[in-house]
Amino acid sequence: MANQKYIALVDCDSFFVSCERKLNPELSGLPVSVVSGERGCVIARSREAKQLGVPMGIPLFQAVEKYPKCIYIPANHYAYTKISQMVMAILKDFSPNVQVYSIDEAFVDFTGLTKLYGKNYYQLGAELQKQVWDSVNIPVTIGVSTSKTLAKLASDKAKNSKTRVALAGKQTKINLLKNTEIDEVWGIGRKLGIKLRGYGIKTAYDFTRKDDAWIQKRFGKNGLVTKAELLGTMISTISNEIEFPKSVSDSKSFLEFSSDLNFLKNELSIHIHSCCKRLRKIDCKCSIVGVFVKTKDFKTYYEKRELDVPLNFEFDISKTAFEILENLYVPNVLYRSVGVVFENFNRTSEEQLLLFTDNNKIELKEKLGKSLDKLEQKFGRNIVRTGFVNKEVPFKQGFLTSPQDI
């Protein structure tokens, strides 16, 4: 087909582990697991860790006891985000049309690149894989096909191949569908897979053999979209538009349990800043703020409030967040973590000016927020801290201790 499009799904291999190995090459070839915190659970494993039998989600204290030969590293999400941005920059240099799907995945439009690079679609995948490794030292698996769903399946299958690049074209597509269990199809999953197996549909190929009327009656429009994509018709196109997430959150377990309210506020302010920075990056504001605390015995308490106007500035959001925290806080109770959740987003550039609000002051706050982001980009994370200050943190980092200090 003259107008046939080809896209690739680029998936960073064991991304958090790969980032740790980039930061510390001595970890290469060793069994490594990344954990969510000092008292957290395993959230990423190297191939060597999987061979030891380390399961995903196992609490750290159990993993250390059962699998002592594995190396356990607390997650460094800030570093992972920076490395992800480096990977995505390579992809965007390679193709003008890239959709970042998650921190470690992206769809890349290969249409028309065969003439530009003088390579076929499989060779394009291999070339892009090489560029990412040479520039960022992050291994990636690449699946190439004519739809997102097929590209995802090709990528999944490529993980077990030597080259870790796979092309699902006219000759290989049917064989791929026949060897793909129905619950492995993107968007179907285990629960829906059980239902489909009840209809005798065991593989992706079986699903494509059902007629449209049968699929629409039982699974609606989404079922028809999945069938079309499995057959190689691109329904879901690549979009450069940044989609707002349903929520943005940040949290981290304390090194030691604490019942100090000011300590909790200081930690909460760090998480608020992290989320505000992410909002500013995608040009949006939130209108709902939630705060949660987790006690020593893993009980979680959560409360959220709607803001009078959408916000993405730390000091404004902190006022509401601290009020929620004070409402949740119980003296003498030991807490293991505190966190914040932002919801209900509006695009900043489309925001209407308010009649009875000092819009000049809002503009100044937006500029200050962006200045904080630039300082961090140049000098490192948390070079400026907002909120309540823990006395154990050195003053040299330059703190703004309260909204009044600005």
Side-chain angles (χ1 to χ4, degrees), residues 40-42 57-64:
C41 57
V42 172
I58 185 174
L60 177 59
F61 72 92
Q62 292 182 7
V64 171

Side-chain angles (χ1 to χ4, degrees), residues 16-48:
F16 292 173
V17 172
S18 296
C19 289
E20 293 296 341
R21 285 175 168 172
K22 171 181 171 62
L23 299 172
N24 183 3
E26 293 181 359
L27 295 173
S28 296
L30 299 177
V32 177
S33 291
V34 175
V35 295
S36 55
E38 289 76 4
R39 297 184 180 86
C41 57
V42 172
I43 57 175
R45 303 161 295 165
S46 68
R47 183 173 300 181
E48 296 80 4

